[in-house]
Amino acid sequence: MASDTKEGGMIEPFIYVAYLTLLIAIVLVLIYTLKNLASKDLKKHLSVLERF
């Protein structure tokens, strides 16, 4: 089954936009999480993680 360039040509840019949006969301969540960990008592957070 051959892919028609007219059909595949419009989908590919949307895939890149979706990947870019996902990457931005992940980066923002990581920055927010690390910022909150650094601003609060780190020892308290690590003691909670040691319980698991």
Side-chain angles (χ1 to χ4, degrees):
M1 200 155 96
S3 175
D4 191 15
T5 57
K6 291 180 183 177
E7 291 178 20
M10 194 62 185
I11 295 174
E12 192 169 337
F14 288 118
I15 293 173
Y16 290 130
V17 170
Y19 282 142
L20 182 64
T21 305
L22 183 62
L23 179 67
I24 290 171
I26 291 172
V27 167
L28 288 176
V29 167
L30 284 175
I31 290 172
Y32 179 76
T33 303
L34 293 174
K35 183 178 158 186
N36 280 336
L37 279 176
S39 68
K40 296 183 180 179
D41 188 18
L42 190 60
K43 189 174 182 181
K44 184 177 114 179
H45 290 291
L46 291 177
S47 67
V48 170
L49 291 176
E50 287 174 357
R51 293 179 190 166
F52 295 106

